Amino acid sequence: MTTLLPPKFGPYGGQFVPETLMPALIELEQAFVDAQKDPAFRKEFEGLLASFVGRPTPLTYAKRLSEQLGGAQIYLKREDLAHTGAHKINNALGQALLVKRMGKKRVVAETGAGQHGVASATAAALLGLECVVYMGVVDIARQEPNVFRMKLLGAEVRPVTSGTQTLKDAINEAIRDWVTNVDNTHYLLGSALGPHPYPTIVREFQSVIGIEAREQMLRDVGRLPDTVIACVGGGSNAIGVFSGFVDDENVELIGVEAGGSGIASGKHAARFGDATKARVGVIHGTRTYVLQDEDGQIAETHSVSAGLDYAAVGPEHAMMRDSERAFYTSATDTEALSAFQTLCHTEGIIPALESSHAVAEVIKRAPTMRKDQVILVNLSGRGDKDLNTVIKELGENL
Amino acid sequence: MNRIENAFKNKPIFMPYFPLGYPNLPTSIDVIEALAKNGADLIEVGLSFSDPLADGPVIQKATQIALEQGITVKKSLAAVAELRKRGVTIPLILMGYFNPMLAYGLEKFVHDARDAGADGFIIPDLPLEEAVEFQALVGDMPLIQMLAPTSPNERMESIARNARGFIYLVSVTGVTGARTSISDGLGDLIQRVREHTSVPVCVGFGIGTPEQAKQVGALADGVIVGSACVKTIGGNDNPVEAAKKFAREFRGALG
């Protein structure tokens, strides 16, 4: 059996799923390949990105932040201004259009922070699909506003109580639903992970971020950035923005993982940052770097941001890390919370806690760069959903 | 004649699944020994994984408890060796997810499994496409291929053609767990598989009662019982006695 598109990224990726799902992956790949070639599909997708999502999202010069840090000039790609408040809608809409093409009526999705759940519920409402979102009870507690949003949009939110009750377990449950209802159901996977063809599909639907950002840099700033920074959970916003610059060899690409309470504490989600716990393994259908114990059991992870709290990373990031086309670092909970506040104060923008990890890296890096250098940071989402968490974490210091 | 071929001399065969380490390691060894000595023709010995995405609630919970009790791949293989020492002679097939095997080291895993006395492997998240590396290591120990109702004919053919040991036919779309009735199309599905292979076809997923086992046994070469076995035995105050009774009932129903 051969695939239409390359199923691997170097040694990473692949299709490690039960046999029941293999035909669904083959069907999905065929539908995606056909759709990519179909001008009508592209027209509908691009039309919705413009008229419904509000694309292109702006490029904002962070003047006061740049001045305060005293180094590189900082530009923000404003995915927080996309409809539903994050980049997730790009992929959700693209996949929902594929679902219609395949003639399926129902989608299941996993969500951590709730942004992908909201995006899926939104796309499902727009296109008249039934939508069930699986969400760990730990995440339901810390992202409550998004739970209400999903329900308002007509989705059913099913709490997941198995395992660690976070994103990884929500993915398990979504896959179990999919394997049971595969005849009429599509798994609307929200990040650049999972079995082939998902990492490729998600990258393609998110590549609009990088394509727009590159055009905007050239048009508005007159040059490409020296450095592009994005947070990396599964890695969909990062792969989306990176894809616009991957062929520009002089543009440095930096992914920022969740450092949680610090790498040494063991409580984090830094798959590339902790050689004692991260090894190449297989989880949720893909071979990649996975935080695990000696016996191959998937490790519990920790991050203040639900969207980065996951034990594995998208396989294309694993390849880019090995080839050193991209570099990966991490920001702790404390650094992310501090960056969150800094962006609020200096730019009047409340970023998502996930995106705040990328901002934290900007704060570390910009002062070491010259004033004629440029950083582009992908502000993947807005922070309204995180207010409960931030209030709890900052308490009286707010 | 190897142990697997030998087991299929009297068809249909009874093939229970039980995870090592549940409810604790010594009890699970006793349970598997009791199943083996009271009618099981082949046992799927479960290796636990933190994220068993093909399993329903019963096996999820049991393997979670096994992990909490400290089960590891290494201890599981030692338990298989212990079962051989106790005179268990039926085939023991290791059933588990791929990541713990990768973490153990594939070559070492196959080597140590053979030394322990295991007869083959079932790995639900290792479809044909990804099995090349593992297939190259197993030698005469079969990696049992799974087929599903969703498998198209062409795919069924290429999987079945190279199958060794037996085919594990998933009877329903879904995760493991007992169902209230046997799917109507099962006979046709089994017939489709038989067109492509001469190895025995065994049916699993959703078989929960001796009566259902009897129905499936009339069509297939073997009947796989997982969740019902785990639930009945694990939920009993005397798991070993429950295992003996369970094996006798199912073996009896299959005639």
Side-chain angles (χ1 to χ4, degrees):
Chain A
M1 302 275 134
T2 52
T3 52
L4 302 169
L5 301 168
K8 298 213 163 151
F9 302 93
Y12 307 110
Q15 299 180 301
F16 296 85
V17 297
E19 173 59 23
T20 308
L21 293 177
M22 284 303 299
L25 294 177
I26 293 166
E27 179 193 17
L28 176 62
E29 184 189 44
Q30 184 70 56
F32 175 68
V33 168
D34 292 347
Q36 291 296 92
K37 287 185 208 150
D38 180 356
F41 179 87
R42 298 210 63 93
K43 195 177 167 203
E44 186 176 12
F45 181 45
E46 283 160 17
L48 285 174
L49 288 181
S51 68
F52 185 71
V53 178
R55 304 202 72 91
T57 58
L59 183 72
T60 301
Y61 174 44
K63 184 166 183 287
R64 292 191 63 228
L65 179 64
S66 303
E67 282 171 7
Q68 184 180 313
L69 296 174
Q73 306 306 305
I74 298 154
Y75 290 81
L76 311 171
K77 177 61 175 165
R78 300 292 304 279
E79 291 302 297
D80 61 314
L81 292 179
H83 179 43
T84 71
H87 71 291
K88 293 288 186 188
I89 189 71
N90 304 326
N91 166 58
L93 265 181
Q95 284 194 44
L97 289 173
L98 286 180
V99 174
K100 287 195 76 173
R101 224 182 146 86
M102 291 187 289
K104 293 188 172 182
K105 305 280 184 225
R106 179 175 182 267
V107 295
V108 291
E110 83 296 345
T111 200
Q115 289 304 97
H116 175 58
V118 168
S120 300
T122 300
L126 180 72
L127 298 174
L129 301 167
E130 183 188 343
C131 179
V132 172
V133 180
Y134 289 90
M135 189 171 189
V137 293
V138 170
D139 292 336
I140 286 179
R142 59 180 164 174
Q143 308 281 197
E144 201 181 29
N146 272 343
V147 176
F148 293 132
R149 276 189 197 105
M150 287 183 266
K151 289 181 177 172
L152 284 170
L153 290 160
E156 181 191 342
V157 179
R158 291 193 187 160
V160 176
T161 55
S162 58
T164 57
Q165 309 183 342
T166 59
L167 180 57
K168 136 183 123 63
D169 311 286
I171 296 177
N172 288 338
E173 283 306 321
I175 293 177
R176 289 179 187 127
D177 183 316
W178 185 31
V179 82
T180 305
N181 301 296
V182 64
D183 287 343
N184 69 352
T185 298
H186 170 72
Y187 179 23
L188 211 169
L189 180 52
S191 196
L193 34 90
H196 173 74
Y198 282 104
T200 299
I201 290 180
V202 175
R203 181 197 63 214
E204 285 306 299
F205 289 147
Q206 293 294 1
S207 68
V208 64
I209 304 171
I211 292 167
E212 284 177 10
R214 191 174 189 281
E215 281 172 12
Q216 288 165 325
M217 288 300 305
L218 290 173
R219 189 188 68 213
D220 300 349
V221 189
R223 55 165 292 183
L224 293 175
D226 297 281
T227 302
V228 176
I229 299 177
C231 63
V232 181
S236 72
N237 91 82
I239 211 73
V241 72
F242 288 178
S243 69
F245 300 92
V246 73
D247 294 330
D248 300 310
E249 285 174 19
N250 293 327
V251 177
E252 181 183 38
L253 306 175
I254 307 288
V256 187
E257 300 185 285
S261 308
I263 304 297
S265 73
K267 294 178 68 182
H268 60 79
R271 293 69 43 106
F272 293 139
D274 187 349
T276 63
K277 282 175 75 186
R279 283 191 307 281
V280 174
V282 166
I283 178 76
H284 295 144
T286 196
R287 187 191 285 243
T288 184
Y289 283 80
V290 184
L291 289 166
Q292 53 185 305
D293 71 11
E294 277 180 6
D295 197 47
Q297 308 300 335
I298 307 306
E300 259 190 71
T301 53
H302 165 78
S303 171
V304 70
S305 68
L308 303 183
D309 199 352
Y310 181 61
V313 64
E316 193 167 7
H317 285 292
M319 181 184 75
M320 289 173 86
R321 192 243 195 175
D322 280 8
S323 68
E324 300 192 342
R325 179 61 194 93
F327 296 92
Y328 296 83
T329 180
S330 62
T332 63
D333 289 351
T334 309
E335 289 166 339
L337 283 162
S338 168
F340 175 95
Q341 290 173 285
T342 301
L343 200 70
C344 291
H345 293 163
T346 58
E347 299 297 333
I349 295 168
I350 301 176
L353 281 174
E354 289 77 16
S355 321
S356 300
H357 287 71
V359 177
E361 179 61 19
V362 172
I363 291 171
K364 289 180 207 169
R365 193 171 284 257
T368 70
M369 294 169 71
R370 295 190 315 270
K371 287 189 176 178
D372 63 347
Q373 291 186 300
V374 172
I375 294 176
L376 170 69
V377 54
N378 195 32
L379 208 66
S380 56
R382 69 174 182 229
D384 310 47
K385 70 182 176 64
D386 293 315
L387 295 186
N388 288 346
T389 304
V390 172
I391 289 163
K392 200 173 128 211
E393 295 283 335
L394 295 178
E396 290 171 5
N397 299 325
L398 193 64
Chain B
M1 187 177 277
N2 71 32
R3 277 194 286 250
I4 295 176
E5 283 172 22
N6 200 40
F8 280 99
K9 276 196 302 195
N10 297 310
K11 295 185 276 195
I13 75 166
F14 169 52
M15 209 184 284
Y17 161 93
F18 202 84
L20 282 164
Y22 172 71
N24 55 60
L25 185 55
T27 305
S28 65
I29 296 172
D30 293 345
V31 162
I32 292 170
E33 181 186 8
L35 288 168
K37 293 180 176 172
N38 288 275
D41 300 294
L42 182 156
I43 296 177
E44 288 178 16
V45 176
L47 307 180
S48 293
F49 181 45
S50 54
D51 295 82
L53 54 77
D55 284 306
V58 170
I59 293 176
Q60 281 177 46
K61 193 174 161 206
T63 51
Q64 184 69 40
I65 289 170
L67 289 170
E68 285 162 9
Q69 295 285 318
I71 195 68
T72 61
V73 173
K74 195 174 171 187
K75 287 180 189 172
S76 299
L77 295 178
V80 170
E82 168 68 18
L83 285 161
R84 291 299 182 211
K85 250 188 244 164
R86 293 189 191 181
V88 171
T89 55
I90 62 168
L92 300 174
I93 306 280
L94 298 173
M95 178 162 191
Y97 292 82
F98 196 43
N99 197 59
M101 301 174 191
L102 267 180
Y104 192 88
L106 290 185
E107 211 171 332
K108 186 173 180 328
F109 174 69
V110 171
H111 177 270
D112 292 357
R114 183 191 306 275
D115 273 4
D119 295 279
F121 309 92
I122 299 173
I123 310 176
D125 57 349
L126 198 68
L128 184 68
E129 282 76 357
E130 302 296 349
V132 179
E133 184 185 0
F134 194 75
Q135 285 282 22
L137 297 170
V138 295
D140 59 347
M141 297 169 79
L143 171 63
I144 303 301
Q145 296 296 319
M146 301 180 92
L147 283 170
T150 53
S151 307
N153 275 330
E154 185 193 329
R155 192 175 167 79
M156 204 170 250
E157 189 183 340
S158 56
I159 292 172
R161 201 180 335 127
N162 300 310
R164 294 191 301 135
F166 59 93
I167 295 263
Y168 188 133
L169 179 62
V170 176
S171 66
V172 289
T173 59
V175 294
T176 57
R179 309 289 199 279
T180 50
S181 64
I182 299 300
S183 134
D184 288 339
L186 185 61
D188 292 343
L189 184 62
I190 292 169
Q191 208 43 51
R192 270 176 66 205
V193 180
R194 288 201 198 281
E195 282 168 21
H196 306 297
T197 182
S198 56
V199 302
V201 178
C202 302
V203 173
F205 282 42
I207 301 164
T209 65
E211 181 52 34
Q212 288 174 336
K214 189 178 170 186
Q215 282 178 340
V216 174
L219 305 165
D221 302 314
V223 178
I224 303 164
V225 184
S227 296
C229 179
V230 172
K231 193 174 180 178
T232 306
I233 294 169
N236 195 290
D237 290 339
N238 189 339
V240 175
E241 282 309 311
K244 288 179 185 168
K245 184 163 172 272
F246 191 87
R248 286 185 198 129
E249 276 178 14
F250 274 80
R251 188 56 264 180
L254 288 172

